[in-house]
């Protein structure tokens, strides 16, 4: 048995003899086992710190191959030109199959969206004109090409947004609610209670992270002294800082979930292979369960890339979850 497999088993067994935090620097003959893993004595924390780059249930390849997943924003400068998008057929960085039922599909190009509606440090609000509403093959929502002077960029379009509209983006936090039109972006602390928003920031300045898919929306429910509570499309409630940006309105393409595939060939256009046909039971055995709604998730500090690679998973959790206490209003 190789040393990599022994260490991999120790990680998931979470033996008491293993120290709480160890960054493995042992290089095996097959593959370097570093991959920013952490060993813990708690079974709940025995997981990889960066799940997107190194999934929890994936091991290094025996052939030593590992090609890092580089984001499109790191490979290309900001542009409105459609960028070529590679198709991996469900294979991961180590060349092995990670996602099944993926193959073929129509060739697509990537449009780089600007998820920061307003840059920090602007003295006055930014006013832009909507030039086009476009289809994006890599997203469910429609995107809008907006122009301000000589600068062009893509943003997520709202339902009633149309060419020629003027949209405003501002990071100024007002004491009284502003009268924002659909498509405008303001801090959630400047919007009135009950306002429907999308492209919500969970941490100030990190860009839109929530309510970006087609037809989704979040709603401002109430405000407290330090936080603004919003209900997400999943019906969960989050408490964010008042300085987090959000766009007023609902995301476009609201009929996306009502589209009928129509034939098997359309799924092949999307790069989805057919199922085996084995799981066809319709007895209700795997029906939906009604569960108690989770407590409000509080977001206080932005998590940097360095924290994801160096800190423990329970250090990255919000304070309310670490202390096992619910948020009190």
């Amino acid at each position: 048995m190789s040393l990599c497999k022994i260490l991999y088993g120790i990680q998931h067994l979470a033996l008491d003899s293993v120290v709480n935090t160890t960054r493995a620097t042992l290089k095996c003959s097959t593959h370097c086992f570093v991959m920013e893993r952490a060993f813990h004595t708690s079974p709940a924390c025995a997981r990889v710190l960066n799940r997107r780059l190194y999934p929890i249930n994936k091991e290094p390849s025996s052939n030593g191959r590992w090609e890092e997943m580089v984001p499109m924003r790191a490979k290309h400068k900001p542009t409105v030109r459609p960028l070529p998008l590679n198709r991996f057929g469900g294979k991961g960085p180590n060349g092995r199959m990670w996602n099944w039922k993926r193959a073929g599909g129509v060739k697509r190009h990537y449009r780089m969206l600007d998820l920061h509606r307003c840059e920090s440090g602007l003295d006055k609000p930014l006013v832009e004109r909507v030039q086009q509403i476009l289809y994006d093959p890599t997203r469910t929502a429609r995107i809008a090409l907006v122009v301000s002077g000589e600068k062009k960029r893509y943003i997520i379009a709202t339902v009633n947004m149309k060419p020629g509209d003027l949209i405003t983006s501002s990071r100024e936090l007002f004491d009284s609610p502003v009268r924002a039109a659909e498509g405008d972006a303001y801090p959630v602390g400047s919007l009135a209670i009950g306002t429907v928003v999308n492209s919500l920031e969970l941490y100030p300045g990190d860009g839109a992270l929530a309510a970006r898919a087609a037809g989704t929306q979040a709603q401002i429910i109430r405000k407290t002294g330090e936080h603004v509570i919003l209900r997400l499309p999943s019906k969960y409630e989050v408490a964010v800082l008042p300085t987090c940006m959000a766009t007023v309105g609902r995301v476009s393409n609201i009929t996306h979930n009502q589209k009928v595939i129509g034939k098997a060939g359309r799924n092949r256009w999307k790069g989805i292979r057919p199922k085996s046909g084995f799981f066809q039971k319709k007895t209700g055995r795997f029906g939906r369960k009604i569960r108690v709604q989770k407590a409000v998730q509080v977001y206080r500090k932005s998590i940097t890339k360095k924290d994801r690679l160096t800190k423990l998973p329970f250090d990255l959790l919000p304070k309310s979850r670490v202390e096992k206490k619910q948020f009190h209003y």
Side-chain angles (χ1 to χ4, degrees):
M1 183 180 295
S2 63
L3 183 58
C4 283
K5 293 185 178 180
I6 294 176
L7 293 176
Y8 187 80
I10 292 175
Q11 178 193 10
H12 287 276
L13 291 176
L15 300 179
D16 295 335
S17 60
V18 184
V19 293
N20 288 340
T21 308
T22 303
R23 294 189 64 182
T25 56
L26 301 176
K27 292 188 177 180
C28 305
S29 59
T30 56
H31 192 276
C32 180
F33 196 71
V34 178
M35 294 197 313
E36 303 298 344
R37 292 178 177 264
F39 300 99
H40 313 283
T41 56
S42 172
C45 298
R47 61 177 181 264
V48 181
L49 298 184
N50 196 332
R51 292 191 176 188
R52 183 172 293 275
L53 293 182
Y54 315 108
I56 182 175
N57 59 342
K58 305 297 180 183
E59 294 186 70
S61 176
S62 58
N63 57 12
R65 171 187 172 185
W66 189 274
E67 298 179 3
E68 298 289 345
M69 294 181 180
V70 182
M72 295 292 289
R73 298 177 182 276
K75 295 190 295 185
H76 303 277
K77 296 181 180 180
T79 178
V80 295
R81 178 175 56 87
L83 302 174
L85 189 64
N86 295 331
R87 290 175 290 184
F88 299 100
K91 293 184 179 181
N94 58 354
R96 295 185 176 182
M97 292 298 298
W98 281 17
N99 299 309
W100 279 258
K101 294 174 51 184
R102 300 289 185 271
V106 179
K107 189 175 182 178
R108 299 179 296 177
H109 288 78
Y110 178 81
R111 275 80 173 175
M112 189 176 295
L113 264 67
D114 191 356
L115 301 178
H116 299 78
R117 281 291 301 268
C118 188
E119 299 178 358
S120 59
L122 292 179
D123 299 334
K124 56 182 180 180
L126 176 63
V127 180
E128 298 171 299
R129 180 176 59 86
V130 179
Q131 185 173 356
Q132 278 182 299
I133 305 295
L134 302 172
Y135 165 76
D136 189 354
T138 60
R139 303 177 189 275
T140 58
R142 300 289 181 260
I143 60 175
L145 179 63
V146 296
V147 183
S148 176
E150 297 182 355
K151 182 180 179 181
K152 293 183 179 181
R153 61 174 179 170
Y154 289 120
I155 63 172
I156 296 178
T158 57
V159 176
N160 299 318
M161 187 178 290
K162 58 183 182 299
D165 291 349
L166 296 178
I167 57 177
T168 306
S169 303
S170 174
R171 281 194 174 273
E172 186 176 358
L173 188 61
F174 299 94
D175 295 333
S176 58
V178 298
R179 299 182 62 181
E182 182 176 335
D184 295 347
Y186 286 94
V188 291
S190 299
L191 300 176
I193 297 176
T195 305
V196 173
V197 297
N198 66 82
S199 303
L200 172 66
E201 287 184 347
L202 299 181
Y203 303 103
D206 279 9
L209 294 175
R212 300 189 316 189
T216 57
Q217 63 183 20
Q219 188 175 17
I220 301 176
I221 300 176
R222 51 189 174 272
K223 299 182 180 181
T224 62
E226 299 180 354
H227 296 87
V228 178
I229 291 86
L230 298 95
R231 181 180 290 117
L232 297 182
S234 59
K235 305 305 178 184
Y236 290 162
E237 297 179 0
V238 296
V240 300
L241 296 176
T243 54
C244 292
M245 295 285 293
T247 304
V248 179
R250 187 180 179 185
V251 183
S252 56
N253 195 16
I254 59 177
T255 60
H256 170 73
N257 61 343
Q258 301 175 3
K259 293 181 179 179
V260 181
I261 298 299
K263 63 177 183 177
R266 187 172 181 182
N267 270 335
R268 302 309 297 259
W269 298 341
K270 297 165 65 177
I272 302 175
R273 296 179 62 195
K275 294 182 180 180
S276 63
F278 181 73
F279 297 98
Q280 298 289 340
K281 294 183 179 179
K282 304 207 172 33
T283 59
R285 178 184 174 188
F286 305 102
R288 176 177 175 271
K289 295 182 180 179
I290 300 177
R291 297 182 175 87
V292 180
Q293 185 174 351
K294 294 184 179 180
V296 176
Q297 182 71 58
V298 183
Y299 293 88
R300 289 190 177 89
K301 181 182 177 183
S302 177
I303 302 174
T304 61
K305 183 179 180 181
K306 182 178 179 181
D307 294 337
R308 293 191 181 98
L309 299 179
T310 56
K311 290 189 177 181
L312 299 178
F314 53 79
D315 291 336
L316 302 180
L317 293 176
K319 188 176 180 182
S320 60
R321 292 185 57 183
V322 175
E323 297 177 353
K324 303 298 183 181
K325 293 182 180 179
Q326 294 186 355
F327 187 81
H328 299 284
Y329 311 111

